[in-house]
Amino acid sequence: MENVVMIFASLSGNTEAMADEVAAGIREAGAALTVGEAYTASAGDLVNYDGIVLGAYTWGDGELPDDFLDFYEDLDDVDLTGKKAAVFGSGDMSYEIYCAAVDILIEKLRERGCEIVLEGLKVENGPTTAQKEQCKQFGSRFVTSN
């Protein structure tokens, strides 16, 4: 995979910390990477990339954050057949549904034709040093997945 886009949303900085590490792994694996925040990104632009990585925190009792809603709805108008994709996110285990935003985004990408090449990466709150390394490996594995 040569050309990857990452779109993410972060409120407290937890998902952004994950995104930074995933991005480092993608770049170290040799892919060109474009990074954007969900509230300013255009879902239609995803067709210009080989790979798509989305990152979101889970809001409330298992919902997408508000800054991801427009992007999420706009995905309904985009055919992503054949694109490779992966999703990561942060959440809080004190809620009944842990990191539901990751699962919601995976399902939407599948609906739009993406091949999900990695299991969703979920981290409680902010990533530890060991989890930051997992995030970096997630990015690297994404680029090298077939």
Side-chain angles (χ1 to χ4, degrees), residues 3 76 83 85 101:
N3 197 13
D76 287 336
K83 303 287 183 186

Side-chain angles (χ1 to χ4, degrees), residues 38-103:
Y39 70 92
T40 59
S42 170
D45 291 343
L46 299 182
V47 299
N48 299 318
Y49 297 90
D50 305 317
I52 300 163
V53 179
L54 301 181
Y57 61 96
T58 298
W59 182 250
D61 290 322
E63 302 159 15
L64 282 176
D66 286 346
D67 24 346
F68 231 109
L69 293 178
D70 289 340
F71 182 87
Y72 179 82
E73 290 172 7
D74 289 346
L75 284 170
D76 287 336
D77 299 324
V78 182
D79 181 3
L80 299 173
T81 301
K83 303 287 183 186
K84 295 187 184 287
V87 180
F88 65 91
S90 60
D92 186 336
M93 284 189 178
S94 67
Y95 288 97
E96 186 175 327
I97 304 173
Y98 174 63
C99 283
V102 171
D103 302 324

